[in-house]
Amino acid sequence: MGKRRWIMVLDRGAVLFIGIAVGAVLGLSFRTGGKPWQALPGWEQPCPPI
């Protein structure tokens, strides 16, 4: 493989992973009512007082 071919493979791989990440956020948004961060561990814990 030439250098240009490797760059094209890396470029397509980056687009694939970005698409997977965006798809995961969209899926969590639909599942949690528009608040995907609620699916993260520790969301239920209140913030410490300031």
Side-chain angles (χ1 to χ4, degrees):
M1 286 184 146
K3 187 176 181 179
R4 290 186 70 187
R5 187 148 172 105
W6 276 112
I7 291 173
M8 198 162 75
V9 168
L10 290 175
D11 185 45
R12 289 181 182 180
V15 170
L16 174 68
F17 287 121
I18 290 170
I20 290 172
V22 169
V25 169
L26 285 174
L28 286 174
S29 292
F30 280 111
R31 186 173 177 177
T32 59
K35 299 178 181 172
W37 56 88
Q38 286 182 345
L40 297 174
W43 171 257
E44 297 83 17
Q45 297 174 356
C47 294
I50 297 176

